[in-house]
């Protein structure tokens, strides 16, 4: 039996049909809404590659069901800004050239957004702690830290 | 583990046992073939193999080397734009498509610029020379009077575009190895930190990764792996799996098992619901006796990489001598995004979209596996999650090709995290023995090293997992050139470095960043330190004492300056729980290219045994630098990743299979533990550009070990340097 849910993503409402209400949000975003920002990294809540915001809070979309977040306001990396209208955090990541393969960068930016929403003047330690549960295998960490510092400076 | 090419009879027999169960299939949507001009040359000696100039004067570069997240796409675009004298924005790159790009070999060994980029540079130089000579006749002027600029040939204020110059006769010519390349002094684009072309799309969710690629009518597959590396599939009960909404098929071929569903989540659920019965295979060695196992594995061949003087006799007669054994754990590539691929069969021809670093080799392997001519296989590269070597990308591609053949629909295979950690080919275990002797003046009188490493078959390719499991034809797995890095760059009168190639290694092996170079250098550069301390010498000065190569000496001297190195001969003062130290390491990569010297600052907590690497200093000479910021990005990444491998990483296994199947059981370095990295890039614009990336990774473990010795006075000879090993080493005071 198929279930119908309304997902509010990046300011737009979408109706998705799913076979299983327990299906994680990530699959609806990627396969039904064709969004490329959130990535599948582990499906276990361990890496952060799938991070989106739900009602302004960072959430691992691999570990929350479609049913749970239906009706709530979901923001993905695409909703933050586009190449033509970059969000200052995205601009900072470009300015610092803070990506190698870039697979983790969705999570890094979404987690940074959550940090800077709460803490306008994060210290380097604050940044390291805020991103402690976001994994990057390429070793882009030092650039990501610089990008977050640059974004923080740009946003005040 | 042995792999053999199965003969045709076996293949046909097993193919006959193929089991496929289908649910109702949705109507097949046919996909328009994306076939570019079939006539395009892919010859590596033809200019048109690499370059196409279009009527609008834009240029497409066809590169067999691919950007694995390393910035190679940008760097190669710079090289081509520079050599053709055309604006960067007018150049696009097609990477790794067996139908359109020349076979430039695997994207490995930090050779993309050094080899791949230089082939493209030469093709562009040939093209430019031809364009100049055509312009010369058009303007009735001598070639020397023609200037190239912004995609046009100029003569005294008049100009003609490249597109106009090739309109009549195209650009059909052989690459001329002697065609003059631009003088580095004239460079406009090469040597500049051009911003990476891919990053804007990557930070906005616009970039198309392999994982994002979709075909109409595509179904989703999940693989179901055995419970033991070589367990046999005895039976399958897929009743529960069939009840999953959208279930399409169970695919079974030998010991290869997969489920297919209309939706990705359906495939995941079906893979959890299916009930296979596997034989109880227990052929792995006991992990806590791994090094005995390696030492007792039959040697199939031994090779002396260096052999001078008579080290055995000198070692026997010398008064001051040392011996040490080092080991280096089994590692996974640990790509952040598990491997993924899409395949589609159409009219007997298969197209596979893959993040493979080796599309041409993959095509060959797939053709062998599926028993079709290579001409019926096309592999197209789409960037995936960083892979750092031969990870699971190729295996996912083979899975997709096999499943798509069976279900006769386009199939997307996405590995789960446990598939990646459990089944990507592994960096094999390394065991290294060293003996050394010092003379009265504190010089190394004799050096002998022996590495116990997997054998290297003739063909550098790693068995496709699907072919192995499905009992289809495949080759013997190759671990990469794991002997490299054992030969040392120092002046030693009596010297013997020997690789013992073992007949078996516990897991399917492949190359992971700096294969062999990292592990062998861990041994050599740690042992170098041990000898320095035995000679009561400063380890930096001790290396210089044995080094005559001026570029190598400069690298060491510059890192000493960068790090404000002070001679260190004694142990650091003992006070408090946390002690600090610093270690040096050096390499001339494969003894023929890139020079790297590093200093690692470390802190060790003597109570907990935990090591923190606080700072890495690196001096790096790879000759001509194409893109300084791109280079820095690579060096930072290689250092940080290798700090992770050195401190934390080790595949754990029971007698049947890998047990570290996620990021909790196989942790990697996280933000709070990441060191600062400071570098001194030595640019030599008039020299050849050599590889960068791996050379920096290869010196990291030894630099950390040497730093720990400096801090603590104990020697860590086993990677990873876990707190347990640190405390154990302190207890036994090695
Ligand atoms: S994919 Fe969601 S945390 Fe890893
Ligand atoms: S940039 Fe590749 S995983 Fe972070």
């Amino acid at each position: 039996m198929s279930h119908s849910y309304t997902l509010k993503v990046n300011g737009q409402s979408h109706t998705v049909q799913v076979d299983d209400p327990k299906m994680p949000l990530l699959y609806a975003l990627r396969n039904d809404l064709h969004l490329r920002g959130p990535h599948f990294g582990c499906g276990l809540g361990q890496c952060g590659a799938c991070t989106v915001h739900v009602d302004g809070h960072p959430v691992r979309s691999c570990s929350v069901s479609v049913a749970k977040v239906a009706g709530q306001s979901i923001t993905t990396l695409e909703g933050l800004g586009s190449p033509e209208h970059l969000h200052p955090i995205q601009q900072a990541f470009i300015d610092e050239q803070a990506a190698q393969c870039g697979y983790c960068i969705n999570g890094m930016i979404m987690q940074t957004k959550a940090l800077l929403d709460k803490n306008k003047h994060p210290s380097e330690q604050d940044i390291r702690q805020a991103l402690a549960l976001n994994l990057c295998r390429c070793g882009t960490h030092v650039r990501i830290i610089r990008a977050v510092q640059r974004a923080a400076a740009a946003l005040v | 583990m042995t792999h053999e090419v199965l003969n045709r009879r076996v293949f046909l027999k097993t193919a006959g046992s193929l089991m496929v169960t289908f649910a109702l299939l949705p109507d097949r949507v046919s996909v328009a073939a994306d076939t570019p001009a079939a006539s395009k040359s892919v010859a590596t000696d033809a200019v048109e193999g690499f370059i196409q100039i279009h009527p609008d004067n834009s240029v497409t570069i066809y590169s067999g080397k691919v950007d694995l997240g390393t910035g190679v796409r940008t760097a190669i675009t710079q090289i081509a734009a520079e050599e053709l004298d055309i604006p960067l924005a007018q150049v696009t790159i097609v990477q790794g498509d067996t139908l359109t790009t020349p076979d430039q070999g695997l994207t490995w060994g930090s050779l993309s610029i050094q080899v791949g980029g230089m082939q493209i540079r030469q093709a562009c130089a040939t093209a430019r020379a031809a364009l100049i000579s055509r312009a010369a006749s058009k303007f009735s002027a001598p070639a020397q009077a023609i200037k190239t600029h912004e995609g046009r040939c100029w003569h005294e204020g008049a100009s003609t575009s490249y597109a106009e110059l090739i309109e009549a006769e195209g650009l059909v010519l052989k690459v001329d190895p002697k065609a003059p390349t631009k003088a580095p002094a004239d460079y406009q684009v090469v040597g500049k930190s051009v911003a990476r072309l891919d990053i804007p799309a990557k930070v906005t969710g616009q970039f198309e990764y392999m994982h994002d690629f979709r075909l109409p009518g595509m179904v989703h597959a999940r693989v179901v792996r055995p419970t033991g590396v070589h367990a046999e599939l005895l039976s399958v009960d897929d009743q529960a799996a069939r009840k999953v909404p959208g279930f399409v098929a169970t695919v079974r071929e030998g010991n290869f098992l997969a489920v297919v569903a209309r939706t990705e989540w359906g495939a995941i659920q079906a893979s959890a619901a299916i009930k296979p019965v596997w034989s109880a295979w227990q052929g792995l060695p006991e992990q806590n006796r791994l090094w005995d196992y390696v030492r007792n594995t039959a040697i199939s061949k031994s090779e002396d990489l260096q052999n001078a003087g008579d080290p055995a006799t000198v070692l026997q007669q010398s008064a001051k001598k040392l011996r040490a054994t080092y080991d280096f754990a089994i590692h996974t590539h640990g790509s952040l995004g598990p491997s993924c691929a899409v395949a589609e069969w159409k009219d007997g021809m298969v197209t596979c979209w893959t993040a493979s670093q080796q599309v041409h080799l993959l095509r060959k392997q797939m053709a062998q596996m599926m028993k079709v001519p290579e001409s019926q296989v096309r592999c197209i590269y789409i960037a995936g999650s960083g892979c750092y070597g031969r990870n699971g990308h190729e295996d996912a591609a083979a899975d997709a090709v096999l499943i798509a053949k069976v279900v006769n629909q386009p199939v997307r295979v996405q590995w789960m995290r446990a598939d990646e950690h459990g089944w990507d080919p592994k960096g094999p275990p390394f065991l290294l023995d060293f003996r050394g002797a010092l003379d009265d003046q504190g010089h190394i009188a004799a050096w002998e090293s022996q590495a116990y490493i997997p054998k290297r078959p003739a063909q550098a390719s790693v068995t496709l997992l699907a072919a192995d499991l499905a009992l289809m034809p495949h080759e013997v797995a190759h671990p990469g050139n794991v002997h490299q890095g054992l030969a040392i760059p120092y002046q030693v009168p009596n010297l013997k470095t020997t690789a013992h190639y073992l007949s078996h290694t516990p897991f399917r092996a492949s190359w992971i960043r700096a294969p062999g170079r990292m592990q062998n250098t861990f041994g050599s550069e740690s042992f170098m330190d041990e000898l320095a301390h035995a000679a009561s010498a400063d380890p930096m000065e001790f290396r210089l004492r044995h080094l005559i190569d001026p570029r190598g000496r400069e690298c060491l001297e510059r890192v000493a300056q960068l790090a404000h190195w002070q001679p260190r001969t004694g142990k650091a003062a003992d006070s408090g729980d946390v002690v600090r130290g610093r270690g040096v390491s050096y390499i001339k990569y494969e003894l023929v290219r890139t020079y790297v010297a590093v200093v690692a600052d470390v802190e060790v907590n003597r109570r907990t045994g935990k090591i923190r690497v606080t700072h890495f200093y690196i001096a790096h000479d790879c000759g001509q630098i194409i893109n300084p910021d791109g280079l820095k990005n690579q060096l930072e990444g290689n250092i940080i990743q290798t700090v992770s491998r050195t401190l934390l990483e080790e595949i754990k296994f029971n007698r049947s299979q890998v047990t570290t199947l996620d990021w909790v059981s196989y942790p990697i370095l996280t933000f709070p533990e990441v060191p600062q990295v400071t570098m001194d890039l030595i640019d030599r614009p008039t020299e050849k550009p050599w590889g960068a990336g791996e050379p920096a990774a290869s010196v990291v473990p030894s630099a950390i070990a040497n730093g720990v010795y400096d801090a603590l006075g104990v020697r860590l000879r086993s990677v990873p340097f876990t707190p347990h090993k640190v405390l154990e080493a302190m207890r036994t005071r090695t």
Side-chain angles (χ1 to χ4, degrees):
Chain A
M1 192 184 57
S2 145
H3 309 252
S4 176
Y5 293 100
T6 301
L7 292 180
K8 282 200 277 180
V9 181
N10 302 330
Q12 286 197 328
S13 285
H14 304 264
T15 305
V16 295
Q17 305 287 335
V18 300
D19 296 320
D20 175 13
K22 293 197 297 297
M23 180 176 90
L25 172 63
L26 176 66
Y27 299 103
L29 296 175
R30 292 184 52 78
N31 296 335
D32 296 305
L33 272 53
H34 300 288
L35 293 170
R36 293 174 177 175
H39 288 150
F40 171 70
C42 65
L44 305 166
Q46 296 176 350
C47 75
C50 62
T51 305
V52 301
H53 286 202
V54 177
D55 288 343
H57 299 292
V59 163
R60 301 204 159 179
S61 66
C62 72
S63 303
V64 61
S65 68
V66 173
K68 184 105 187 284
V69 297
Q72 290 176 271
S73 168
I74 298 162
T75 308
T76 71
L77 184 62
E78 290 91 338
L80 234 51
S82 63
E84 298 73 34
H85 301 282
L86 293 164
H87 186 279
I89 300 175
Q90 292 168 322
Q91 182 68 57
F93 272 68
I94 295 174
D95 291 343
E96 292 294 339
Q97 292 285 288
Q100 289 180 59
C101 81
Y103 202 83
C104 67
I105 294 299
N106 166 70
M108 299 299 174
I109 292 178
M110 298 311 282
Q111 201 66 34
T112 297
K113 172 83 169 70
L115 167 70
L116 298 182
D117 284 347
K118 286 199 313 245
N119 180 351
K120 303 269 174 255
H121 304 282
S123 66
E124 185 180 328
Q125 283 316 309
D126 293 340
I127 296 169
R128 285 174 180 251
Q129 280 311 321
L131 297 176
L133 301 177
N134 283 68
L135 302 181
C136 172
R137 183 51 162 169
C138 294
T140 314
H141 305 73
V142 292
R143 285 173 179 247
I144 294 170
I145 294 170
R146 288 202 294 269
V148 178
Q149 289 169 330
R150 181 188 278 264
L155 281 165
V156 285
Chain B
M1 173 160 75
T2 49
H3 293 290
E4 283 164 332
V5 177
L6 298 173
N7 64 36
R8 185 174 162 75
R9 198 176 54 82
V10 175
F11 170 62
L12 289 175
K13 209 172 86 213
T14 55
S17 71
L18 180 85
M19 180 189 93
V20 196
T21 47
F22 282 95
L24 271 183
L25 287 175
D27 278 343
R28 169 73 195 287
V29 182
S30 101
V31 185
D34 159 33
T35 320
S39 58
K40 182 187 172 300
S41 167
V42 291
T44 50
D45 64 349
V47 168
E48 68 273 26
F50 295 104
I51 305 167
Q52 270 183 347
I53 299 175
H54 306 291
D56 66 355
N57 216 32
S58 66
V59 171
T60 303
I61 297 295
Y62 292 86
S63 169
K65 299 278 189 192
V66 298
D67 191 333
L68 304 167
T70 57
V72 159
R73 175 179 150 204
T74 306
I76 289 180
T77 305
Q78 282 177 267
I79 291 169
E82 183 70 71
E83 211 55 47
L84 283 172
D85 267 326
I86 194 154
L88 204 66
Q90 268 164 252
V91 181
T92 47
I93 289 210
V94 172
Q95 310 177 79
D97 176 348
T98 53
L99 194 64
T100 60
T101 66
D103 181 358
Q104 294 184 277
L106 287 66
T107 303
W108 69 342
S110 290
L111 292 166
S112 294
I113 301 299
Q114 181 176 334
V115 174
M118 293 308 97
Q119 282 177 308
I120 289 172
R121 176 179 277 173
Q122 207 53 43
C124 291
T126 307
R128 197 167 64 105
L131 291 163
I132 287 175
S133 102
R134 287 184 201 176
S137 37
K138 182 164 178 172
F139 292 123
S140 309
Q144 305 88 287
I146 307 291
K147 299 275 170 282
T148 50
H149 182 58
E150 303 247 308
R152 305 181 74 82
C153 289
W154 295 77
H155 179 249
E156 295 176 351
S159 76
T160 175
S161 75
Y162 295 169
E164 286 156 5
L165 288 168
I166 66 157
E167 213 178 318
E169 37 181 326
L171 200 61
V172 183
L173 51 149
K174 286 256 180 278
V175 175
D176 174 3
K178 295 210 178 66
T181 53
K182 269 174 87 168
D186 297 336
Y187 282 168
Q188 306 288 321
V189 190
V190 163
K192 302 273 183 321
S193 289
V194 168
R196 285 248 312 250
L197 303 167
D198 50 335
I199 290 183
K202 285 179 174 175
V203 302
T204 49
Q206 308 294 310
F207 191 83
E208 183 182 57
Y209 287 94
M210 180 62 238
H211 306 70
D212 302 312
F213 181 77
R214 303 280 185 276
L215 287 176
M218 185 183 84
V219 289
H220 294 266
R222 285 296 183 278
V223 289
V224 181
R225 298 300 190 209
T227 49
V229 173
H230 292 295
E232 281 174 36
L233 182 51
L234 303 176
S235 66
V236 181
D237 171 2
D238 68 353
Q239 288 312 307
R242 287 162 155 274
K243 298 211 177 80
V244 170
F247 173 85
V248 172
T250 298
V251 176
R252 178 183 176 182
E253 167 90 44
N255 302 311
F256 179 89
L257 182 63
V259 287
V260 184
R262 246 184 335 95
T263 65
E264 188 166 16
W265 184 241
I268 294 170
Q269 285 180 301
S271 71
I274 199 164
K275 294 194 193 72
V277 179
W278 302 96
S279 68
W281 184 85
Q282 295 215 314
L284 291 175
E286 271 177 63
Q287 178 146 32
N288 58 14
R289 303 198 49 216
L290 175 63
W291 303 114
D292 293 340
Y293 174 87
V294 172
R295 191 169 291 285
N296 293 326
T297 303
I299 293 170
S300 66
K301 187 183 138 192
S302 295
E303 180 185 10
D304 290 339
L305 306 170
Q306 287 168 311
N307 196 349
D310 183 3
T313 307
V314 177
L315 277 159
Q316 199 184 14
Q317 291 166 357
S318 178
K320 203 161 195 181
K321 53 194 171 191
L322 286 182
R323 65 192 311 159
T325 293
Y326 301 85
D327 61 63
F328 198 106
I330 305 171
H331 283 168
T332 179
H333 300 78
S335 297
L336 198 73
S339 298
C340 179
V342 171
E344 179 183 38
W345 286 84
K346 219 174 183 180
D347 307 327
M349 156 114 199
V350 62
T351 305
C352 180
W353 290 264
T354 168
S356 170
Q357 57 163 233
Q358 46 175 60
V359 287
H360 291 89
L361 175 57
L362 183 60
R363 172 178 60 176
K364 192 167 156 192
Q365 292 187 277
M366 281 179 175
Q368 171 181 270
M369 166 181 161
M370 301 306 296
K371 291 268 180 193
V372 295
E374 271 182 54
S375 58
Q376 287 174 28
V377 183
R378 179 181 181 190
C379 295
I380 302 174
Y381 177 75
I382 304 181
S385 181
C387 62
Y388 330 105
R390 198 311 202 166
N391 72 340
H393 288 326
E394 289 75 10
D395 299 311
D399 294 341
V401 163
L402 177 56
I403 298 166
K405 173 86 180 170
V406 173
V407 301
N408 195 28
Q409 295 185 88
V411 167
R412 175 177 184 268
V413 172
Q414 167 72 69
W415 281 15
M416 301 301 279
R417 175 46 53 201
D419 299 325
E420 192 72 33
H421 267 65
W423 289 89
D424 80 323
K426 303 288 182 259
F430 281 72
L431 183 65
L432 298 144
D433 289 335
F434 287 81
R435 293 202 300 160
L438 292 163
D439 67 17
D440 298 341
Q441 282 80 47
H443 282 83
I444 304 170
W447 173 292
E448 201 186 78
S449 63
Q450 309 194 55
Y452 301 87
I453 54 182
K455 68 178 176 207
R456 297 181 303 128
Q459 163 88 17
S461 64
V462 177
T463 314
L464 295 173
L465 182 56
D468 187 6
L469 292 174
L471 313 176
M472 295 165 98
H474 59 74
E475 62 288 272
V476 184
H478 192 293
N481 292 321
V482 284
H483 61 298
Q484 291 281 13
L486 190 62
I488 57 169
Y490 301 110
Q491 297 297 307
V492 176
N494 301 288
L495 174 64
K496 190 163 161 178
T497 56
T498 307
H500 299 296
Y501 299 108
L502 307 182
S503 56
H504 297 280
T505 187
F507 294 94
R508 186 170 62 120
S510 83
W511 41 96
I512 302 183
R513 269 209 172 141
R517 292 77 164 175
M518 179 184 292
Q519 293 88 346
N520 298 326
T521 303
F522 165 55
S524 300
E525 282 295 294
S526 294
F527 195 62
M528 197 65 189
D529 232 57
E530 299 207 34
L531 288 169
H533 288 284
S536 303
D538 169 51
M540 183 77 73
E541 187 275 322
F542 189 73
R543 283 170 171 79
L544 288 165
R545 201 183 276 183
H546 293 90
L547 194 58
I548 50 171
D549 187 325
R551 280 174 79 168
R553 292 183 64 89
E554 182 178 348
C555 225
L556 271 165
E557 282 156 2
R558 283 174 74 158
V559 85
Q561 236 169 35
L562 186 72
H564 302 290
W565 180 270
Q566 298 295 325
R568 323 178 70 83
T569 46
K571 284 169 196 128
D574 281 356
S575 69
D577 278 346
V578 176
V579 288
R580 292 178 180 80
R582 53 188 2 196
V584 56
S585 184
Y586 165 77
I587 194 170
K588 179 181 184 182
Y589 210 55
E590 297 160 4
L591 299 190
V592 296
R593 51 193 183 124
T594 309
Y595 300 84
V596 189
V598 290
V599 168
D601 283 354
V602 305
E603 292 177 0
V604 190
N605 185 314
R606 294 192 292 187
R607 213 164 30 78
T608 63
K610 194 166 156 58
I611 299 171
R612 223 174 89 76
V613 178
T614 54
H615 208 134
F616 249 91
Y617 300 88
I618 169 168
H620 190 272
D621 174 1
C622 60
Q624 180 187 87
I625 297 174
I626 307 295
N627 183 324
D629 188 64
L631 174 59
K632 282 185 194 161
N633 202 350
Q634 274 310 287
L635 300 186
E636 288 164 357
N638 273 271
I639 287 173
I640 291 167
Q641 186 186 77
T642 314
V643 171
S644 178
R645 292 177 65 179
T646 306
L647 296 185
L648 299 168
E649 295 183 32
E650 177 172 30
I651 281 291
K652 301 265 174 56
F653 50 90
N654 57 26
R655 300 299 300 272
S656 299
Q657 62 175 337
V658 173
T659 54
T660 43
L661 297 174
D662 63 12
W663 294 118
V664 173
S665 53
Y666 189 94
I668 59 172
L669 204 71
T670 60
F671 275 93
E673 298 139 6
V674 162
Q676 306 282 351
V677 182
T678 305
M679 40 188 110
D680 180 3
L681 304 183
I682 303 169
D683 188 15
R684 301 187 190 277
T686 56
E687 297 286 343
K688 284 194 192 75
W690 282 327
E694 287 190 354
S698 64
V699 280
V700 169
S702 43
I704 298 173
N706 297 340
V708 170
Y709 183 84
D710 186 48
L712 211 53
V714 301
R715 185 57 65 182
L716 299 180
R717 299 194 184 92
S718 175
V719 168
F721 303 156
T722 58
H724 173 77
K725 285 188 194 161
V726 173
L727 295 174
E728 192 59 22
M730 283 171 67
R731 203 176 57 74
T732 54
R733 277 284 148 185
T734 45

